[in-house]
């Protein structure tokens, strides 16, 4: 049974995860020790998972669907059973980018020049996100799935949500942070999008029973 997932992150251009700290003559610098923080990436993938599950379960409540919290954790001490870690085979190239503000006449306004550091990642040796199970995963009472099916559905949701994720970091609207995730087999069977969508759909229906909100689950 597969209980891990490795995803390559291919960046289409520069990216930046803000620190709010100035240095090296720049208004904001990169945290070179943690240029890609696992928590930030997990949060972005979780947002994509929310969108996918909301569509499948017709979920329009303000809180997370039970399957989202089962995979990513939630309140009241509910932690994720998965550990997210980033591997950086090749350090990124650092560069600086100027940011300006133009007035209505197209002239740069005084005092609005900002110089910020940014990262350029290697396409040949891209950073990788590895997701590894760190504890026992059992279906809660009322969910009619076995442990193996639940674990597979967890990984299926993480995989699909990562593939839906397109941007990481600051200034996404200006061509920065565009990214694509792709699963790396690493000796494990390749994940099928169709099979993963079926697994997630089955889990969403099962976990919806916990709150009596089955909805009209649909698969495109």
């Amino acid at each position: 049974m597969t209980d891990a997932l490795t995803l390559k992150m291919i960046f289409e251009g520069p990216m930046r995860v803000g620190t709010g700290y100035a240095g090296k003559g720049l208004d904001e610098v990169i945290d070179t020790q943690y240029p890609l923080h696992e928590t930030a990436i997990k949060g972005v993938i979780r947002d994509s998972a929310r969108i996918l599950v909301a569509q499948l379960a017709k979920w329009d409540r303000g809180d997370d669907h039970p399957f989202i919290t089962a995979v990513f954790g939630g309140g009241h001490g509910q932690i994720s059973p998965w550990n997210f870690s980033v591997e950086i085979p090749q350090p990124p190239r650092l560069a600086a980018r100027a940011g300006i503000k133009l007035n209505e006449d197209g002239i740069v306004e005084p005092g609005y020049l900002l110089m910020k550091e940014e990262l350029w990642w290697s396409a040949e040796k891209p950073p990788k996100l590895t997701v590894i199970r760190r504890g026992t995963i059992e279906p809660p009472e009322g969910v009619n799935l076995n442990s193996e099916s639940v674990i597979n559905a967890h990984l299926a949701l993480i995989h699909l949500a990562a593939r839906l994720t397109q941007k990481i970091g600051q200034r996404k609207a200006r061509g920065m942070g565009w990214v694509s995730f792709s699963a790396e087999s690493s000796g494990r069977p390749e994940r099928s999008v169709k099979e993963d969508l079926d697994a997630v759909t089955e889990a969403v229906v099962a976990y919806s029973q916990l709150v009596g909100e089955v909805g009209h689950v649909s698969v495109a």
Side-chain angles (χ1 to χ4, degrees):
M1 178 177 61
T2 301
D3 58 359
L5 176 66
T6 299
L7 298 160
K8 294 186 293 184
M9 293 178 276
I10 306 295
F11 287 91
E12 305 299 329
M15 64 85 61
R16 178 197 308 125
V17 176
T19 61
Y21 294 104
K24 298 184 286 186
L26 301 173
D27 296 288
E28 187 174 22
V29 294
I30 295 292
D31 183 350
T32 54
Q33 186 175 1
Y34 298 105
L36 276 175
H37 204 283
E38 294 88 350
T39 303
I41 297 174
K42 177 185 174 184
V44 173
I45 293 176
R46 180 180 186 139
D47 285 342
S48 296
R50 286 183 175 122
I51 295 172
L52 175 60
V53 171
Q55 290 294 318
L56 291 175
K58 307 302 182 185
W59 187 263
D60 57 1
R61 295 171 44 158
D63 55 347
D64 278 335
H65 187 276
F67 189 51
I68 293 291
T69 56
V71 176
F72 294 96
H76 307 291
Q78 184 176 358
I79 64 172
S80 171
W82 301 95
N83 181 69
F84 290 69
S85 62
V86 172
E87 176 190 351
I88 300 176
Q90 181 172 315
R93 178 171 59 87
L94 295 174
R97 175 180 293 223
I100 59 175
K101 181 179 179 180
L102 304 178
N103 61 24
E104 295 179 355
D105 299 321
I107 300 174
V108 178
E109 291 194 13
Y112 281 92
L113 173 65
L114 290 175
M115 296 292 295
K116 295 186 177 183
E117 206 166 34
E118 64 185 23
L119 301 173
W120 289 80
W121 294 94
S122 168
E124 289 74 27
K125 297 180 179 180
K128 300 177 183 179
L129 176 69
T130 300
V131 183
I132 299 177
R133 182 162 62 94
R134 60 182 176 186
T136 302
I137 299 177
E138 296 289 344
E141 185 177 353
V143 172
N144 190 26
L145 295 173
N146 60 40
S147 297
E148 184 172 349
S149 296
V150 170
I151 291 171
N152 180 60
H154 278 219
L155 287 173
L157 179 60
I158 295 171
H159 173 226
L160 294 178
R163 290 177 68 99
L164 286 172
T165 300
Q166 296 180 320
K167 303 170 186 177
I168 295 175
Q170 294 180 337
R171 294 177 65 178
K172 305 179 185 68
R174 299 190 181 185
M176 295 187 68
W178 288 96
V179 66
S180 60
F181 287 81
S182 60
E184 187 177 74
S185 61
S186 300
R188 294 183 289 267
E190 292 188 8
R191 301 203 67 92
S192 161
V193 171
K194 175 62 169 61
E195 291 176 1
D196 278 354
L197 187 55
D198 290 343
V200 170
T201 301
E202 181 182 39
V204 166
V205 172
Y207 276 78
S208 292
Q209 301 286 351
L210 298 177
V211 289
E213 294 283 351
V214 177
H216 301 286
V217 178
S218 61
V219 179

